[in-house]
């Protein structure tokens, strides 16, 4: 059977768009991921751990890309990846827990911003597979979603083999009933049937894409399979943790940068035309101190970098305003300031996913100034 199964899970013809949020937990150093090569202050602040013009991949004459992210260059050159530097939230605690919590809740509101998007800003007819976390637990950003599932493999979304009779009886019961409970029951059984079909179908990534064997890459592989199978997936989250690089930063970050570049690069290649209706956002709770420390690492800072990929993105550029790294610009003990609030990066993407008139609900008590990406 073909991987591109066309049976619909919901009555709305499935959601044509999927939003993917990749969270780099541990505060990823944006100055390493996308170094400002044209800023002399960057080179002075990091004499031992900086990336040189000869090492980094050139982007626009000022910024470069970490060489281990080379698999993302095709998306950038295709105009389907935009980079936003000096990005983050207004939280100034520099605490991983507090900053992540604040960012995932979209401020001080109850529930998560993704949960509010799914409840108020997206389709009115949700699939049982509308929201998925590829991992063991749901993130705070999905709290409050009408339905959300955490899974690490298709095997975790299945009934035991000896429940066929019960499933048939439940389907007959739900088909006889009306109302939200009956609808949810039918859609859940349809989703289970779809997953069962996917479990018994060999998935072959398209366009020569090759995923590595690490957990992050394999989760993106599964995500690509679900998107192409049209299961009604509206939002998905994937974590890549471990970015807290106080000591020997290169040893900590390089394996993670490689996973991010190869995994996301394979995902972009695998989806091919389906990227036109897929948006990917890469974010982290805060960045690192501009100056390197005595342990060849960097301490907690403020501004970092966000990546946005997919259909409708005005890519091939580093968007927004670069504040610079001179002493009069740096914040607190020497941090890159946040000049682009993460909500202003997410807002134009959420508009493309049908939430234009619900942004005030998704991000309450915040005056949006959406970035043009």
């Amino acid at each position: 059977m073909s991987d591109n199964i066309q049976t619909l899970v919901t009555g709305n013809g499935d959601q044509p768009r999927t939003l993917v949020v990749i969270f780099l937990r541990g505060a990823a150093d944006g100055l390493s991921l996308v170094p400002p090569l044209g800023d002399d202050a960057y080179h002075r602040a990091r004499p031992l751990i900086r990336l040189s013009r000869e090492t980094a991949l050139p982007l626009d004459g000022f910024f470069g890309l970490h060489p281990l992210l080379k698999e993302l260059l095709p998306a950038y050159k295709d105009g389907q990846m935009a980079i936003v530097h000096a990005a983050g939230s207004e939280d100034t605690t520099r605490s991983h827990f507090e900053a992540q919590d604040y960012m995932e809740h979209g401020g001080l509101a109850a529930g998560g911003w993704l949960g509010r998007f799914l409840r108020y800003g997206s389709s009115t007819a949700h699939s049982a597979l509308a929201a998925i976390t590829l991992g063991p637990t749901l993130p705070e950003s999905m709290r409050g979603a009408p339905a959300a599932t955490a899974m690490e493999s298709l095997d975790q979304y299945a009934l035991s083999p000896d429940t066929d009779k019960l499933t048939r009886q439940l389907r007959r019961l739900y088909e006889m009933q009306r109302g939200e409970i009956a609808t949810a029951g039918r859609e859940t059984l349809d989703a289970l049937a779809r997953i069962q079909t996917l479990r018994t179908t060999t998935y072959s990534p398209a366009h020569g894409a090759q995923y590595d064997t690490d957990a992050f890459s394999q989760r993106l592989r599964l995500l690509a399979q679900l998107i192409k199978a049209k299961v009604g997936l509206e939002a998905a989250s994937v974590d890549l943790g471990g970015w807290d690089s106080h000591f020997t930063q290169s040893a900590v970050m390089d394996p993670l940068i490689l996973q991010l570049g190869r995994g996301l690069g394979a995902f972009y290649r695998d989806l091919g035309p389906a990227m036109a209706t897929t948006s990917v956002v890469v974010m982290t709770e805060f960045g690192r101190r501009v100056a390197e420390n005595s342990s060849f690492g960097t301490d907690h800072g403020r501004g970092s970098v966000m990546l946005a990929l997919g259909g409708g993105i005005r890519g091939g550029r580093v968007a927004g305003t670069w504040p610079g790294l001179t002493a009069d610009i740096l914040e607190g003990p020497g941090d890159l300031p946040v000049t682009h609030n993460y909500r202003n990066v997410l807002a134009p993407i959420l508009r493309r996913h049908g939430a234009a008139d619900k942004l005030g609900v998704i991000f309450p008590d915040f005056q949006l100034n959406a970035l043009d990406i």
Side-chain angles (χ1 to χ4, degrees):
M1 183 175 294
S2 168
D3 292 328
N4 190 18
I5 304 164
Q6 296 299 320
T7 307
L8 301 181
V9 170
T10 65
N12 66 344
D14 288 330
Q15 272 298 108
R17 288 186 173 273
T18 302
L19 173 62
V20 179
V21 178
I22 296 175
F23 206 105
L24 309 181
R25 297 190 185 275
D29 179 29
L31 295 172
S32 289
L33 298 177
V34 185
L37 302 174
D39 196 318
D40 291 339
Y42 162 75
H43 298 279
R44 291 194 298 270
R46 299 185 171 195
L48 299 177
I49 67 170
R50 67 183 176 89
L51 288 172
S52 67
R53 287 187 179 275
E54 293 72 32
T55 303
L57 304 172
L59 292 178
D60 60 4
F62 185 88
F63 289 100
L65 190 67
H66 195 290
L68 295 178
L69 292 177
K70 64 181 180 180
E71 302 296 335
L72 296 183
L73 271 182
Y76 184 86
K77 292 179 178 179
D78 291 345
Q80 290 205 59
M81 183 176 85
I83 298 167
V84 181
H85 227 309
S89 78
E90 60 270 43
D91 179 82
T92 60
T93 64
R94 296 173 179 80
S95 159
H96 294 297
F97 176 80
E98 292 188 41
Q100 287 180 25
D101 194 60
Y102 188 91
M103 184 173 277
E104 291 193 281
H105 283 264
L108 300 176
W113 70 265
L114 259 179
R116 292 191 293 276
F117 161 69
L118 289 159
R119 181 169 295 277
Y120 303 113
S122 63
S123 169
T124 56
H126 293 285
S127 159
L129 294 171
I132 291 177
T133 292
L134 279 303
T137 58
L138 288 175
E140 286 298 309
S141 61
M142 278 196 179
R143 298 296 177 189
T149 300
M151 68 164 70
E152 295 189 82
S153 72
L154 294 177
D155 292 336
Q156 293 180 319
Y157 200 90
L159 296 175
S160 59
D162 58 350
T163 56
D164 289 348
K165 181 178 179 180
L166 173 62
T167 300
R168 290 194 299 271
Q169 293 174 336
L170 285 173
R171 186 174 294 279
R172 284 197 296 268
L173 176 63
Y174 289 136
E175 287 174 351
M176 294 169 56
Q177 304 297 321
R178 295 292 180 267
E180 293 183 1
I181 294 178
T183 299
R186 289 192 297 270
E187 291 181 356
T188 299
L189 292 176
D190 288 341
L192 287 167
R194 178 75 67 86
I195 292 297
Q196 175 60 24
T197 301
L198 294 179
R199 289 173 61 229
T200 56
T201 301
T202 300
Y203 178 68
S204 299
H207 313 108
Q210 295 184 337
Y211 292 92
D212 286 351
T213 58
D214 61 273
F216 177 72
S217 295
Q218 288 301 303
R219 287 167 180 171
L220 291 182
R221 183 183 188 274
L222 174 56
L223 180 56
Q225 183 181 11
L226 291 169
I227 290 173
K228 290 193 283 185
K230 300 183 184 298
V231 299
L233 181 59
E234 300 179 50
S237 69
V238 187
D239 282 357
L240 181 58
W243 295 86
D244 201 11
S245 53
H246 290 281
F247 308 97
T248 57
Q249 179 158 297
S250 179
V252 171
M253 286 186 58
D254 284 2
L256 297 173
I257 297 173
L258 190 62
Q259 288 182 46
L260 177 64
R262 287 185 175 176
L264 193 50
F267 179 80
Y268 174 79
R269 187 170 186 176
D270 187 6
L271 281 192
M275 280 301 301
T277 52
T278 304
S279 298
V280 181
V281 179
V282 181
M283 57 199 301
T284 190
E285 66 263 35
F286 51 76
R288 316 296 299 187
R289 191 74 42 81
V290 175
E292 64 187 43
N293 62 29
S294 60
S295 301
F296 308 106
T298 51
D299 299 320
H300 294 182
R302 290 279 286 118
S304 188
V305 72
M306 293 179 68
L307 308 179
L309 296 84
I313 295 294
R314 294 183 58 237
R317 63 197 178 104
V318 179
T321 302
W322 174 245
L325 297 175
T326 56
D328 59 311
I329 295 295
L330 298 185
E331 180 181 319
D335 299 337
L336 174 67
V338 173
T339 58
H340 303 108
N341 190 280
Y342 73 101
R343 301 176 186 87
N344 290 327
V345 181
L346 292 171
I349 297 170
L350 294 178
R351 284 174 180 162
R352 285 195 288 274
H353 286 255
D357 61 342
K358 297 296 183 181
L359 292 175
V361 177
I362 298 170
F363 299 124
D365 303 318
F366 180 77
Q367 185 63 45
L368 283 169
N369 183 20
L371 194 63
D372 183 18
I373 58 169

